[in-house]
Amino acid sequence: MRRKLVVGNWKMHGSRVANEPLLAAIAQGRPYACDVAVCAPFLYIAEVAVAFAGGDLRWGAQDCSVHEQGAYTGEVSAAMLAEFGCRYVIVGHSERRQYHQESDQLVADKAKAALAKGVTPIVCVGESLAQREAGQTDDVVKRQLSAVIHTLAHCAGEMVVAYEPVWAIGTGRTATPEQAQDVHALLRAQLHAATPHAAQMKILYGGSVKADNAASLFAQPDIDGGLIGGASLKANDFIAICRAAG
Ligand code: PGA
């Protein structure tokens, strides 16, 4: 049995005033029957680390540089994330692919940079609405994952994959459990062809996961938890989603 994982993706939300009660509530909700993590904006990671210290809650970032160090103004390296105890880093989120022109290869290189420093990349893949309507979903997600598999090579089994249909992100329009499962099964098969660890790898679903739809998504055989945007900013909702994964 794969243990489920629920990851909050705060995106560019939060403030010192708002973070404190949110993090305290998540910490007080322990124990959870699944693994739980929060990926906060860079500036708040140290605060999450303090709030979650000494327990089994994890934290991470939402992006990292492909470079180890150097003259890359504005970038944050995987080594810096590791120094602050980050277990995870999200790479290839559709908002980064779309607004920052991140290519499949750049995403793959970021995943590799993270793994090299012991930070687990959560690699996001997903199709747009136009691509789904054109029947291109399978091709798009396979292409996105294949770049990462190829680049990570024998380490591919160490990543977490997140399927996030772009049309479901922040729209309130979630994929049905069956739609999500179909893509997860496809991704699992692709992983099986690439690594002996595929059966143990976690494939998360993301896109308008809420307290009232989480259980039916997480009940699917290849859905191993969720990447949670909007609902991760409200303690009660996020905790309810974590409970649904237990
Ligand atoms: P959402 O975002 O839950 O607000 O749809 C998910 C994500 O983008 O990771």
Side-chain angles (χ1 to χ4, degrees):
M1 261 299 270
R2 292 181 293 269
R3 188 174 160 87
K4 291 209 166 19
L5 168 64
V6 175
V7 180
N9 171 15
W10 283 9
K11 309 194 180 188
M12 199 173 72
H13 292 289
S15 68
R16 297 177 80 173
V17 170
N19 300 347
E20 197 188 328
L22 175 56
L23 293 167
I26 296 168
Q28 276 157 20
R30 286 179 295 194
Y32 297 102
C34 62
D35 292 334
V36 175
V38 165
C39 290
F42 291 127
L43 278 171
Y44 298 141
I45 288 173
E47 189 183 351
V48 183
V50 169
F52 287 178
D56 53 3
L57 299 172
R58 305 295 175 202
W59 55 92
Q62 302 166 15
D63 184 32
C64 72
S65 176
V66 283
H67 304 291
E68 271 202 39
Q69 63 166 16
Y72 302 103
T73 301
E75 296 262 78
V76 174
S77 72
M80 295 170 187
L81 300 183
E83 198 179 0
F84 278 77
C86 289
R87 167 69 66 95
Y88 299 106
V89 60
I90 299 168
V91 297
H93 191 282
S94 61
E95 288 150 15
R96 297 221 47 100
R97 292 180 190 262
Q98 188 182 345
Y99 305 138
H100 301 271
Q101 288 74 47
E102 294 198 4
S103 66
D104 293 342
Q105 190 55 51
L106 182 72
V107 171
D109 290 339
K110 288 185 173 190
K112 189 172 181 182
L115 271 185
K117 300 299 173 192
V119 180
T120 300
I122 300 175
V123 177
C124 300
V125 300
E127 81 288 2
S128 67
L129 185 58
Q131 289 166 332
R132 173 160 283 263
E133 286 174 345
Q136 295 167 348
T137 299
D138 294 6
D139 289 347
V140 170
V141 298
K142 276 161 93 174
R143 188 201 74 219
Q144 291 173 333
L145 186 59
S146 142
V148 187
I149 287 173
H150 187 77
T151 298
L152 296 186
H154 65 279
C155 298
E158 293 173 39
M159 70 175 140
V160 170
V161 176
Y163 169 54
E164 296 208 308
V166 177
W167 48 272
I169 294 176
T171 58
R173 183 178 163 191
T174 185
T176 65
E178 294 73 25
Q179 279 175 324
Q181 168 58 27
D182 284 351
V183 178
H184 281 234
L186 183 91
L187 295 170
R188 178 95 53 204
Q190 191 178 357
L191 293 169
H192 268 297
T195 161
H197 306 294
Q200 290 92 55
M201 290 176 68
K202 295 188 206 301
I203 308 179
L204 311 182
Y205 170 78
S208 296
V209 179
K210 306 288 176 212
D212 59 3
N213 61 20
S216 58
L217 287 159
F218 297 165
Q220 298 298 312
D222 287 297
I223 300 185
D224 306 313
L227 184 54
I228 319 300
S232 72
L233 300 168
K234 295 183 198 128
N236 290 345
D237 290 2
F238 187 63
I239 292 168
I241 292 168
C242 295
R243 299 264 183 262

